[in-house]
Amino acid sequence: MFLPFSTHFYVDSGLLLFSLYYTLLCLCFLMYCWVLADPVCGYFLKNCTIRGNLSDPSNMKVLCYNRNLEVIPIAIPRKVSNLDLAMNKVSKIEKLDFKGLSNLKILNMPRTQISQVENGALGYLEALQVLGLAHNRLTTLSDYLFQGLANLSLLHLDNNLIATISSSSFQTLSSLKTVNLTKNNLYNMKEVQPIVQLPHLQELYIGSNRFTSFQSQEISNTSIELRLLDLSRNPLGVFRITADVLPYLEVLDIAYCGQLGRMEWDVLNRSFLSNVNRLNLSGIEMSFKRMGMVLQTVNSSLVHLRMQDLLNGSSVLRLEYNNIGNLSEEFLQSCKHMTEVDISNTGLTQLSEFSFRSIEQLSAFKLGHNRLSSVPKATRNLPTLKILDLSFNIINKLGCSDFSNLTGFTQLFLFHNQIPNIKGEFKSLTSLKTLLLYDNQIASMEDGAFEGLVNLTELNLEILCSRDFHFLRTLDISCNYITYVNDGKLDPPPFSHLTSLENLRIFSQRHKGLSHLPINFLEGLKSLLSFQNEFTALTPKLFRPIPRLNSLYLSKARIQSLDFLIAANLSRVTFLQVSKNDITVVNETVLQSLPALTYLDMQDNPFTCGCSDAWFVQWMESDNQTQVVGAGEFTCNYPADLKDTKLLDVELQFCTVDLGLYCYISTTCLVLLTLVASFAYHFLKWHVIFGYYLFLAFLYDTKQRNKLTPHGCQYDAFISYNAHDKPWVLRELLPELEGKQVWKLCLHHRDFQPGKRIIDNIMDGIYGSRKTICVISHRYLESEKLVKRRTYLSWPRAGEQTGVFWQQLRVLLRPCVNLSNII
Ligand SMILES: *[C@@H]1O[C@H](CO)[C@@H](O)[C@H](O)[C@H]1NC(C)=O
Ligand SMILES: *[C@@H]1O[C@H](CO)[C@@H](O)[C@H](O)[C@H]1NC(C)=O
Ligand SMILES: *[C@@H]1O[C@H](CO)[C@@H](O)[C@H](O)[C@H]1NC(C)=O
Ligand SMILES: *[C@@H]1O[C@H](CO)[C@@H](O)[C@H](O)[C@H]1NC(C)=O
Ligand SMILES: *[C@@H]1O[C@H](CO)[C@@H](O)[C@H](O)[C@H]1NC(C)=O
Ligand SMILES: *[C@@H]1O[C@H](CO)[C@@H](O)[C@H](O)[C@H]1NC(C)=O
Ligand SMILES: *[C@@H]1O[C@H](CO)[C@@H](O)[C@H](O)[C@H]1NC(C)=O
Ligand SMILES: *[C@@H]1O[C@H](CO)[C@@H](O)[C@H](O)[C@H]1NC(C)=O
Ligand SMILES: *[C@@H]1O[C@H](CO)[C@@H](O)[C@H](O)[C@H]1NC(C)=O
Ligand SMILES: *[C@@H]1O[C@H](CO)[C@@H](O)[C@H](O)[C@H]1NC(C)=O
Ligand SMILES: *[C@@H]1O[C@H](CO)[C@@H](O)[C@H](O)[C@H]1NC(C)=O
Ligand SMILES: *[C@@H]1O[C@H](CO)[C@@H](O)[C@H](O)[C@H]1NC(C)=O
């Protein structure tokens, strides 16, 4: 094509550089806006899970536990109030890791392999109330470790390797109430002095360390609020209190102390431990006689005494009876106010009827993990008893009068025994709310087995039996043997009486689940809120009777598609767990049919990664109502080349070109266009104008051609020639072409219409002819340069043959030759 500008294009290079620079700047700015336009405004944070309501930061949680993290993630939302980094591999907390998290109240970092915390690293957390650093590798608590944590009230440092505590490390922790230093390497009570003198300290746990003595002269200025001291499992040889350093102590745990054989107990004055009402003396190697003497040193205010692991086997048990009988009046005085007796895990085989009669206020009696073969008579005639735990025994029969007088019972734990049948033994337990009977050998149940349990809200047993529980709220029939051969209706529906049931759980570890669930299986459960199962073949109809459902757990159910939820009308469901299924893609319509959804668990599904997921990925990253747990771990199963790639790492952005990208591209184009236009106008004004006219001419040309094509041409050729060449045209050209070859030519002096504008005549002539013949002579060239760019025929010089010329001209004039060729 012929270019309108070619040679004299000059450039001011400074101006050009400036313009390029300006363009780049614009592009960078646009790129920056593009990045900014995609902020972390949804629930998505790489390697972490955000939970809670984004518009209510007071309870927003960021959960990053168990992710193999080696550094603290960046971009944690500033307004987070609860951050969980448990179970990672962050060995060192760097100075700036928590910068800006001034709203953080709870920081949980157990099992994170921390051995070092840089000075001041925790200082940004000015609102922190709970700090969890348990199960790490800290060895020393240095001077500036906790600086700035003025609001800290709970500190977990258990299971570290701490041996030394610097004297000023706790100085600024004026709000600290509870410190857990269990399982460390502390050996000198003086190390604990900076802690016990904190003004608001209430609970101190220093069990399982290496203290060999506890002596009151080693500590001083103790917090007057200190009410709990856990010294258990230290090799204490001496427990000596000679001054009133623990005046308000209520709970003293020295269980399993004195492993060195014996423990010297020296409490000078009864008043020193006068407020202790809970005392744990389990596992201490002491004779009952000495134990009695120990008990005489505490005031009779004791309401809770634990003496686990003191009685081994039945012979010792008898001795124990005798001892209890023989114990001094003082001991019985000590027991008088007890509300809870815990003699679980002692090898007990029986308990006499009157053992605990003197305890007037007993409300909880824990007898689990023993070798009782029947419900002990000692549990009868305890009118205040509310909770009885008989789990993990070998009870193999229930008697009719076992529970007959216990009308105040609210909780009865009988799980893990050998009970074979039930025939109405619970009849009188009218206040019972929780009855746990699972893991027995129940083979039969008589009619009315659970009659009278009108207030029962939680029943856990293995056999489906549900007639009598109008108030039942939770039913767990996991581990069952139920099977149905098809999904046909049951008559009557199994749960039709359970109109108050809110939670139904049917996990089936023992069987591989049901292949069919009858379509009226859930009929009657009009209050059901939560349904958990592991079955397959769920049809939308199943959900019709349970309109209030808000939580649905369908893990391990071999579900391949969630489409059945669309027709199920689960508009109230807020919690959906469909992990460990065979779901490959998620249809947008499914999530649209769950408008209330706030929690979605789809972990461990074999996703097919492709453009069909693009919307899903975008939705997960941006939706601020629904939290998709573990989204960062969703893994592709198909196509093969993406297998084991994380779904969120697959490049899907080309599938969804969103509005932002359109805006970006069009803005960029607009800017570039403006630049080019102003450039062109500035430097190439005349070329632009010329180009404009050329363009107009092109349009005209096209129009004319369209006009003429259908009619065919008026002439075969239009002859363009200089006035000086007219004689040649009339003498040589005209006779040859019109005479010999009978072409029809258009000559301006002969064929132009008089009175018409010259330019119109020329145009009509050209467009009315199939070809244009230019007669080019030196004179012609003087005004018409462009012919140099075209092929042309030359008239032979004097003396040469003219035949070839005429022959070539004839060929070119033939209709099939391209019209635009200029001869
Ligand atoms: C989030 O909190 C705001 C204000 O507290 C409330 O209006 C909104 O309903 C809450 N959203 C959810 C999903 O709980
Ligand atoms: C959640 O997103 C919607 C639109 O997607 C928006 O109107 C709303 O303000 C967002 N809420 C929060 C708390 O960001
Ligand atoms: C995310 O966790 C993986 C391991 O699960 C780790 O390799 C990666 O570095 C983490 N990414 C970030 C940004 O922390
Ligand atoms: C510390 O606790 C006090 C009392 O609860 C509270 O008024 C103050 O705002 C808290 N400080 C910070 C930084 O949150
Ligand atoms: C203290 O730490 C021990 C050991 O980890 C733990 O068993 C106990 O529950 C903790 N106690 C408190 C009150 O945190
Ligand atoms: C205990 O308090 C007294 C007076 O307040 C002070 O003189 C003494 O140094 C303190 N003892 C310790 C070990 O801090
Ligand atoms: C001692 O008994 C108390 C209950 O009084 C219990 O909380 C604590 O865990 C027991 N301590 C040990 C070491 O078993
Ligand atoms: C023992 O406790 C009772 C309250 O149960 C109290 O009245 C009495 O003063 C206490 N005795 C001593 C010596 O502190
Ligand atoms: C139930 O209590 C009554 C009165 O307190 C008593 O007479 C009866 O023997 C008790 N029944 C059993 C089985 O202990
Ligand atoms: C059952 O519970 C209701 C409400 O909690 C209570 O009023 C009623 O007394 C209870 N019935 C029995 C027999 O305890
Ligand atoms: C779906 O459920 C909502 C409320 O739970 C109800 O208003 C609506 O009529 C139901 N739609 C259908 C088609 O059943
Ligand atoms: C999603 O489900 C709707 C309703 O069942 C269906 O019409 C649509 O074709 C599905 N879309 C895809 C991509 O499968």
mmCIF file of all heavy atoms in Angstrom, residues 353 380-381 401-402 404-405, ligand 9:
data_model
loop_
_atom_site.group_PDB
_atom_site.id
_atom_site.type_symbol
_atom_site.label_atom_id
_atom_site.label_comp_id
_atom_site.label_asym_id
_atom_site.label_seq_id
_atom_site.Cartn_x
_atom_site.Cartn_y
_atom_site.Cartn_z
ATOM 1 N N GLU A 353 -23.342 -50.260 101.876
ATOM 2 C CA GLU A 353 -24.520 -49.423 101.769
ATOM 3 C C GLU A 353 -24.390 -48.089 102.492
ATOM 4 O O GLU A 353 -24.922 -47.085 102.073
ATOM 5 C CB GLU A 353 -25.722 -50.206 102.319
ATOM 6 C CG GLU A 353 -27.035 -49.556 101.998
ATOM 7 C CD GLU A 353 -28.196 -50.494 102.263
ATOM 8 O OE1 GLU A 353 -27.961 -51.673 102.554
ATOM 9 O OE2 GLU A 353 -29.337 -50.040 102.165
ATOM 10 N N ARG A 380 -27.687 -45.611 96.867
ATOM 11 C CA ARG A 380 -29.096 -45.401 97.229
ATOM 12 C C ARG A 380 -29.163 -44.454 98.416
ATOM 13 O O ARG A 380 -28.183 -44.228 99.104
ATOM 14 C CB ARG A 380 -29.746 -46.729 97.624
ATOM 15 C CG ARG A 380 -29.680 -47.732 96.497
ATOM 16 C CD ARG A 380 -30.256 -49.051 96.932
ATOM 17 N NE ARG A 380 -29.956 -50.054 95.922
ATOM 18 C CZ ARG A 380 -30.270 -51.328 96.052
ATOM 19 N NH1 ARG A 380 -30.877 -51.761 97.142
ATOM 20 N NH2 ARG A 380 -29.986 -52.168 95.092
ATOM 21 N N ASN A 381 -30.317 -43.960 98.690
ATOM 22 C CA ASN A 381 -30.526 -43.122 99.867
ATOM 23 C C ASN A 381 -29.561 -41.949 99.947
ATOM 24 O O ASN A 381 -29.098 -41.582 101.021
ATOM 25 C CB ASN A 381 -30.406 -43.955 101.150
ATOM 26 C CG ASN A 381 -31.413 -45.078 101.139
ATOM 27 O OD1 ASN A 381 -32.589 -44.852 100.875
ATOM 28 N ND2 ASN A 381 -30.938 -46.287 101.392
ATOM 29 N N SER A 401 -34.595 -51.880 92.062
ATOM 30 C CA SER A 401 -34.539 -50.820 93.070
ATOM 31 C C SER A 401 -33.237 -50.021 93.003
ATOM 32 O O SER A 401 -32.994 -49.165 93.843
ATOM 33 C CB SER A 401 -34.714 -51.427 94.461
ATOM 34 O OG SER A 401 -33.928 -52.582 94.585
ATOM 35 N N ASP A 402 -32.422 -50.288 91.977
ATOM 36 C CA ASP A 402 -31.141 -49.588 91.894
ATOM 37 C C ASP A 402 -31.298 -48.076 91.896
ATOM 38 O O ASP A 402 -30.515 -47.356 92.521
ATOM 39 C CB ASP A 402 -30.393 -50.002 90.616
ATOM 40 C CG ASP A 402 -29.677 -51.328 90.798
ATOM 41 O OD1 ASP A 402 -29.583 -51.791 91.955
ATOM 42 O OD2 ASP A 402 -29.221 -51.906 89.794
ATOM 43 N N SER A 404 -34.456 -46.555 92.385
ATOM 44 C CA SER A 404 -35.862 -46.267 92.669
ATOM 45 C C SER A 404 -36.076 -45.005 93.491
ATOM 46 O O SER A 404 -37.081 -44.332 93.355
ATOM 47 C CB SER A 404 -36.516 -47.451 93.363
ATOM 48 O OG SER A 404 -35.837 -47.703 94.568
ATOM 49 N N ASN A 405 -35.120 -44.622 94.333
ATOM 50 C CA ASN A 405 -35.341 -43.447 95.170
ATOM 51 C C ASN A 405 -34.636 -42.200 94.647
ATOM 52 O O ASN A 405 -34.636 -41.182 95.302
ATOM 53 C CB ASN A 405 -34.855 -43.734 96.607
ATOM 54 C CG ASN A 405 -35.978 -44.334 97.446
ATOM 55 O OD1 ASN A 405 -37.102 -44.462 96.974
ATOM 56 N ND2 ASN A 405 -35.665 -44.680 98.677
HETATM 57 C C1 LIG B 9 -36.625 -45.395 99.404
HETATM 58 O O1 LIG B 9 -36.819 -44.462 100.449
HETATM 59 C C2 LIG B 9 -37.766 -44.854 101.398
HETATM 60 C C3 LIG B 9 -37.955 -43.731 102.372
HETATM 61 O O2 LIG B 9 -36.843 -42.912 102.450
HETATM 62 C C4 LIG B 9 -37.320 -46.146 102.056
HETATM 63 O O3 LIG B 9 -38.288 -46.569 102.960
HETATM 64 C C5 LIG B 9 -37.113 -47.223 101.009
HETATM 65 O O4 LIG B 9 -36.586 -48.376 101.593
HETATM 66 C C6 LIG B 9 -36.159 -46.742 99.975
HETATM 67 N N1 LIG B 9 -36.073 -47.722 98.908
HETATM 68 C C7 LIG B 9 -34.936 -48.310 98.603
HETATM 69 C C8 LIG B 9 -35.006 -49.308 97.488
HETATM 70 O O5 LIG B 9 -33.883 -48.043 99.134
#
